[in-house]
Every structure is written in C-alpha cells, then in structure tokens.
Amino acid sequence: MPTLILVRHGRSTANTEGLLAGWTPGVALDERGAAQAAALPGRLAGLPVSEVVTSPLQRCQETIRPLLDARPELRAHTDDRIGECDYGDWSGRKLAELMDEPLMEVVQAHPSAAAFPGGESMRAMQTRAAEAVREWNARVERDHGADAVYLMCSHGDIIKSLVADALGLHLDLFQRISVEPCSITAIRYTRLRPFLVRLGDTGDLASLIPREDPPAGDAPVGGGAGAP
C-alpha cells in the first residue's frame, strides 16, 4: 500500500497571535509560514508524489501552492475530512483564555471524551480523518500502484490523531505527539500494519534549544506555533 506524506500547514497568523483558529475563515500564513511553504518543494525534491490532497482551509491551500507551482503535473484534491477539528464556540478565542475552561483538562488528559461546545468531538475528528486516509490509500494504490507516494496537507491535531491511529495508540495518548508548522510526517501503509517512518521532521533543531520560558506540560491545542 502507499506511503503517505503528511505536511502540517506553515505557521499562521493565528499561531503567532495565540488563537485557536479551527475553521475560522481568513487565517493565512504569516511571513515565516510563507517562507516555510516556499521551502517545501526543495525538501520534497526527488520524492515521486503521485497525488496531493489538502484541507480546504486557507492556511493549507497557501502551504501547498509552491509545491503545485513547482510541479505543474500535480493538482490538489480538497477533502473536508482532513480539515481542522471543529472547535465550535472555542474557535477564534485566545488559547490563554481557554486554559481556564474545565473542558481543557479533559482535552489534555482524556481527549477521547472531549467534545467542543457547538463543534465536534475529538473522537469524531480522528474517525473522519482516518476514514479519509484509508479511502485515499485505496484510490492511490489503484491509480498509481502499491509503491506510490502521496501527500496530504492538514493540521496539527489531525496529523497527531493519524499518527496515533497508525501506531495503534488510544486517542487519549495522542497529546504526547508533537508536529510543528510545516513539518513532515510519513506513514508507510502495508496490508497488515502501518509503519511510522518520519515524525514532525522540519530539518531544523531549533525547537530543541532550551528556552528562557520553557513550554508548559500541556499539549498545544491546534498544534502550536513551533520554534520561536
């Protein structure tokens, strides 16, 4: 079965403003995010990408545009199922404010039980994304062969949930996974089991440098802004 390249969108204006974007329209890449997207074709050079699938949200569409420009033979298929988690009433709010919400403790420690007011549950988010991957695996294998490579551009929580699915981890453990903006995660699927062959690869070790303000123990909902 195919190898899936998962690309998280580049750093967005919501990331730098500390907002939980969700499906809020008009969230674009910031200057650094645009530079990350521009570097993506070079990072993927040599990989025979057969199909490109993307979230419908602007920040993903902008991330994938340089790759499509560099490879005019490719066109992007938009799939709502790999769009960001629907955070409902939390969408567009400051993450710092949300830390005081009782639901945040559930999101951190027991995400399989977390459902956002006016939005969806994290369990439903993982289910739709995993179903999308399985359908695209079958389609890519049918059209391009079992050794094909294809790419999806999506969001932090979606990618983390797909990694958990590939590793056979319960969703309650997915907050232990980290994927930075414009990072590359690769999963090779086989008939019996998937293999995680890359996780959150940015080619940059800046996020490992100790900071004056060390990150908190909680996982950043939505994925976080990455290295400073």
Side-chain angles (χ1 to χ4, degrees):
M1 295 178 70
T3 296
L4 170 60
I5 307 297
L6 289 160
V7 177
R8 186 185 166 200
H9 63 78
R11 196 175 74 175
S12 72
T13 53
N15 292 146
T16 48
E17 292 169 11
L19 301 175
L20 186 61
W23 284 73
T24 305
V27 176
L29 299 182
D30 67 6
E31 185 176 353
R32 179 172 178 175
Q36 290 170 331
L40 193 59
R43 294 170 63 198
L44 296 172
L47 277 180
V49 177
S50 59
E51 299 280 2
V52 172
V53 188
T54 183
S55 157
L57 296 172
Q58 180 179 338
R59 53 197 183 274
C60 286
Q61 301 276 338
E62 291 179 352
T63 298
I64 217 66
R65 175 50 51 193
L67 177 65
L68 297 176
D69 289 344
R71 301 197 190 189
E73 74 279 6
L74 293 175
R75 68 181 184 88
H77 305 274
T78 299
D79 193 325
D80 289 357
R81 295 174 297 177
I82 62 167
E84 179 64 284
C85 186
D86 183 355
Y87 299 115
D89 298 343
W90 281 23
S91 300
R93 291 182 60 187
K94 286 276 190 182
L95 284 163
E97 297 173 0
L98 292 170
M99 295 307 295
D100 295 328
E101 295 279 352
L103 178 60
M104 182 59 85
E105 186 177 10
V106 182
V107 170
Q108 292 293 326
H110 191 17
S112 67
F116 296 96
E120 71 178 333
S121 68
M122 303 199 89
R123 190 173 60 255
M125 171 201 74
Q126 183 187 43
T127 297
R128 63 171 163 86
E131 287 178 350
V133 166
R134 282 159 175 76
E135 288 182 20
W136 277 102
N137 281 349
R139 177 172 172 176
V140 169
E141 182 172 5
R142 181 197 68 204
D143 294 344
H144 303 284
D147 295 327
V149 176
Y150 75 107
L151 181 147
M152 282 185 169
C153 185
S154 188
H155 306 266
D157 281 349
I158 294 286
I159 294 172
K160 287 163 57 178
S161 75
L162 290 171
V163 170
D165 174 76
L167 292 176
L169 293 177
H170 196 284
L171 185 61
D172 286 346
L173 300 178
F174 101 125
Q175 297 290 28
R176 302 183 184 195
I177 299 165
S178 176
V179 289
E180 293 206 352
C182 223
S183 63
I184 292 174
T185 294
I187 302 170
R188 185 173 71 247
Y189 288 86
T190 74
R191 187 173 64 87
L192 296 181
R193 64 183 64 85
F195 293 88
L196 179 65
V197 292
R198 290 287 188 281
L199 176 61
D201 188 347
T202 62
D204 179 2
L205 300 181
S207 64
L208 302 180
I209 299 172
R211 305 183 193 179
E212 293 182 7
D213 53 337
D218 287 341
V221 181

